[in-house]
Amino acid sequence: MLINGNDLLTVANENDFAVPAFNISDYAMFNGVIDISEEKNAPLIVAIHPDEVSHLGVDLIQAIRARAHRASVPVVIHWDHGGSFEQMLTAIQSGFTSVMIDKSMSPFDENVAMTKRVVDAAHVVGLSVEGELGTIGKTDNEAEDGTDDIIYTVPDDAVRFVEQTGVDSLAIAIGTSHGIYPASMKPALKLDLLREIKAAVGIPLVLHGGSNNPDDEIGRSVKLGINKINISSDIKVAYHDKMREVLADTSLREPNSIQPPCIAAMQVVAAQKIDLFDAAGKAALY
């Protein structure tokens, strides 16, 4: 059931749902998101950011591929927020089935040039490519890179970007930020802008910074054309908050005593996202 991102998201695009892209940072988290996806009969994108790749090591990707092949639901292994062509080559060589090249903070022409270079290389070997246009905010120092001021995606620019690069999916900026929103910050998505962009480009659209957003806005964004939503902070907070609680018992030392309740706590959050994105049961479409 290991497939590329385009094969996965084309079905989501045609059937008006979004696939969760869960960022994992250890093998226990990976097994947890696979298991809950199988339980919910939902397609899955396993997202791994360059910082997470540096922690896991690329050799682990072969084990992730092996488990994905045995899964009862379709699985994509996705390099999240790639920053260079060299990283994209590493992703291709180590067994990812989808890559994201993120040059959204560069001028438009530079973003197009690098994204097209990645598309040309990845498509030759059957990998799909996600690009990004516009910028995502950043709420804290633990979050992925972002900007203080969001630069919203312009629909006409999105059309030119897709035409000139040939990307399979496009991450857009409609008001989200990476990380967990502080109490003083109220996220608000520009859903009318999303509607315009979707009508203009038609391809699967991606929402980054999907953690900690109001459920009603996220749910509406799915029905307006978002087909992939990245969730990192929400599941990591659930996982590590429970781990801190468990580790308060200093007599525990074995992983099978410590990690199962942490994975279970993470799966509660993951299951809620799967339902919110209307992905539960959608593995039957593949």
Side-chain angles (χ1 to χ4, degrees):
M1 294 297 285
L2 179 64
I3 63 176
N4 76 26
N6 190 45
D7 291 341
L8 191 81
L9 294 182
T10 295
V11 174
N13 194 19
E14 292 172 348
N15 291 275
D16 301 320
F17 68 93
V19 182
F22 292 124
N23 279 79
I24 58 101
S25 50
D26 65 37
Y27 198 71
M29 287 185 74
F30 165 68
N31 277 326
V33 296
I34 282 273
D35 289 346
I36 193 61
S37 297
E38 289 186 321
E39 182 181 321
K40 303 288 288 184
N41 198 30
L44 169 67
I45 298 172
V46 177
I48 311 177
H49 184 276
D51 291 344
E52 294 159 341
V53 173
S54 70
H55 173 68
L56 291 167
V58 294
D59 292 338
L60 190 62
I61 304 304
Q62 293 307 311
I64 292 173
R65 283 179 60 91
R67 177 67 183 88
H69 275 301
R70 292 189 290 106
S72 62
V73 298
V75 179
V76 165
I77 306 172
H78 177 73
W79 186 295
D80 185 31
H81 286 286
S84 68
F85 187 72
E86 289 71 26
Q87 284 185 0
M88 300 296 90
L89 292 180
T90 298
I92 291 169
Q93 292 163 356
S94 57
F96 285 77
T97 62
S98 173
V99 296
M100 178 199 186
I101 180 66
D102 180 5
K103 286 298 179 181
S104 58
M105 295 189 204
S106 300
F108 182 86
D109 289 345
E110 290 181 23
N111 190 355
V112 166
M114 177 57 77
T115 304
K116 185 178 187 308
R117 186 183 180 198
V118 172
V119 168
D120 289 344
H123 280 183
V124 168
V125 290
L127 272 68
S128 56
V129 180
E130 174 187 333
E132 182 167 328
L133 189 63
T135 64
I136 310 299
K138 180 176 179 176
T139 61
D140 57 46
N141 290 331
E142 286 286 285
E144 297 166 17
D145 288 342
T147 55
D148 291 334
D149 296 316
I150 296 169
I151 300 173
Y152 293 93
T153 305
V154 176
D156 288 346
D157 289 344
V159 171
R160 290 195 296 134
F161 187 84
V162 170
E163 288 176 348
Q164 293 176 31
T165 62
V167 288
D168 302 290
S169 60
L170 181 66
I172 59 172
I174 57 171
T176 53
S177 295
H178 290 134
I180 297 294
Y181 292 92
S184 60
M185 184 178 178
K186 186 181 185 325
L189 302 185
K190 290 184 178 292
L191 296 177
D192 287 345
L193 177 59
L194 166 58
R195 189 181 285 108
E196 285 184 54
I197 296 169
K198 188 68 173 191
V201 301
I203 68 170
L205 297 180
V206 180
L207 191 67
H208 286 257
S211 290
N212 200 218
N213 281 269
D215 285 352
D216 62 331
E217 285 194 339
I218 294 295
R220 280 187 286 153
S221 76
V222 170
K223 294 311 170 189
L224 291 174
I226 293 294
N227 303 117
K228 169 179 175 278
I229 302 178
N230 287 37
I231 298 293
S232 178
S233 298
D234 274 352
I235 59 171
K236 287 174 181 171
V237 166
Y239 180 60
H240 290 114
D241 278 356
K242 188 64 176 181
M243 190 171 290
R244 292 181 185 97
E245 179 185 323
V246 171
L247 288 173
D249 182 350
T250 56
S251 70
L252 299 179
R253 63 177 177 271
E254 292 298 327
N256 277 337
S257 299
I258 295 167
Q259 287 191 297
C262 308
I263 294 301
M266 180 197 73
Q267 287 176 323
V268 170
V269 176
Q272 188 267 336
K273 300 297 184 184
I274 290 169
D275 288 338
L276 179 62
F277 304 166
D278 201 20
K282 294 302 193 298
L285 297 173
Y286 292 85

